[in-house]
Amino acid sequence: MATDRSGADRRSADRANADRSGAGDPARTLALLWGLTAEEKPGRRGPRQARSTGEIAAAAVALADAEGVEAVTMRRVAQELGLSPMALYTYVPGKAELLDLMLDTVYAAVPRSAPADAGWRARATAVADDNRALFRAHPWVAAVSTSRPPLGPGLMAKYEYELRALEGTGLPDVELDAALTHLLGFVQTCARMAADERAAQQDSAMTDAQWWQANAELLARVFDPERHPVAARVGAAAGEAHGGAYDPDHAYAFGLARVLDGLEALIRER
């Protein structure tokens, strides 16, 4: 049983579930997300606990924002809060449940834009931009697998807001959900690629343009434009336009327009 796990077992499970939501005990996770934790149940005996789940989530989110989600361990979060690791387990069963709490906390804080244009494309663009802002504020979120999402109040409010952007398009409910998943998947992919670019710049201490310039002579020795003429022409044009091989802002704007074009074709078909 989860309540009988040893500290070593919990730590092992924490590592295994570090980058995947929905990996904890479902009953305990849902109780935690919806405020049904033991300290809030009527009839509880004993002294009032010193911390709230909101404070724990905020500390864990701040740690992930600063150092990455891999830095979030029960021990580190406990230290940030001035608790012992075992005391933290009285609030949160383990890292898996903590991760779901972190995700639902940031989902609850996602901005809800209200575009002046009431059309569905403007509303869908606002949803995409809001999620992009979420990933910029909390880069670690884009790297977490949410195939089994935390079904907390933050996620449900976010899902409702996002679905309403596509409401009234005539899409049946199953396609409405699929269209939203497609849109958000595109935004998450862009966020991951942008994070990879930032990491490459930090690791090399050079911008993309500086890296290409520094390695231009070496690349000229191994790259044959006569053998790969299309790649040479297109690569040179894109590099000149973007100052490097990849421009996150251009990729996002171009790709979002294509995603919306595809959805518009589907909507017209329906």
Side-chain angles (χ1 to χ4, degrees):
M1 296 176 62
T3 52
D4 295 330
R5 286 186 300 173
S6 70
D9 289 341
R10 281 195 294 261
R11 287 191 293 273
S12 178
D14 287 348
R15 287 192 294 271
N17 300 327
D19 298 324
R20 177 168 65 88
S21 67
D25 180 278
R28 300 185 75 177
T29 298
L30 289 174
L32 183 68
L33 293 173
W34 289 94
L36 300 177
T37 48
E39 65 268 20
E40 295 170 354
K41 291 180 181 178
R44 179 184 177 273
R45 297 292 185 267
R48 183 180 181 86
Q49 289 189 289
R51 296 291 185 176
S52 68
T53 53
E55 290 174 315
I56 293 169
V61 168
L63 185 58
D65 290 346
E67 301 182 30
V69 71
E70 64 278 0
V72 179
T73 64
M74 297 296 280
R75 181 174 296 278
R76 278 294 304 276
V77 175
Q79 290 174 348
E80 296 293 323
L81 294 166
L83 299 172
S84 70
M86 292 310 298
L88 184 59
Y89 281 110
T90 67
Y91 294 87
V92 182
K95 172 67 179 292
E97 293 84 1
L98 177 60
L99 182 60
D100 282 351
L101 184 62
M102 293 165 61
L103 287 170
D104 203 64
T105 297
V106 298
Y107 289 158
V110 169
R112 312 285 202 257
S113 299
D117 183 348
W120 73 265
R121 283 187 72 116
R123 298 196 305 268
T125 297
V127 166
D129 291 346
D130 291 344
N131 277 273
R132 192 184 189 207
L134 163 69
F135 293 132
R136 280 178 167 172
H138 310 287
W140 56 273
V141 176
V144 175
S145 172
T146 55
S147 58
R148 290 183 178 178
L151 300 178
L155 173 66
M156 296 310 297
K158 179 176 180 288
Y159 185 49
E160 175 74 15
Y161 156 70
E162 292 165 346
L163 285 174
R164 286 181 181 273
L166 299 173
E167 183 81 328
T169 57
L171 294 178
D173 287 350
V174 173
E175 290 188 352
L176 197 68
D177 177 77
L180 177 60
T181 299
H182 180 55
L183 175 65
L184 298 185
F186 160 75
V187 179
Q188 185 173 19
T189 297
C190 285
R192 287 175 173 172
M193 294 180 70
D196 289 344
E197 186 202 33
R198 289 192 299 271
Q201 291 187 13
Q202 292 174 355
D203 291 343
S204 65
M206 290 186 288
T207 65
D208 211 19
Q210 290 170 334
W211 186 90
W212 283 99
Q213 183 177 5
N215 293 280
E217 183 177 345
L218 175 61
L219 293 170
R221 294 180 192 169
V222 297
F223 183 68
D224 183 359
E226 294 184 0
R227 185 177 180 183
H228 306 100
V230 179
R233 186 189 77 242
V234 174
E240 183 177 356
H242 306 319
Y246 180 71
D247 181 346
D249 292 333
H250 178 269
Y252 175 77
F254 181 86
L256 178 59
R258 304 294 76 77
V259 170
L260 297 180
D261 288 345
L263 293 180
E264 185 167 1
L266 177 64
I267 290 168
R268 287 177 177 175
E269 181 181 303
R270 292 292 177 266

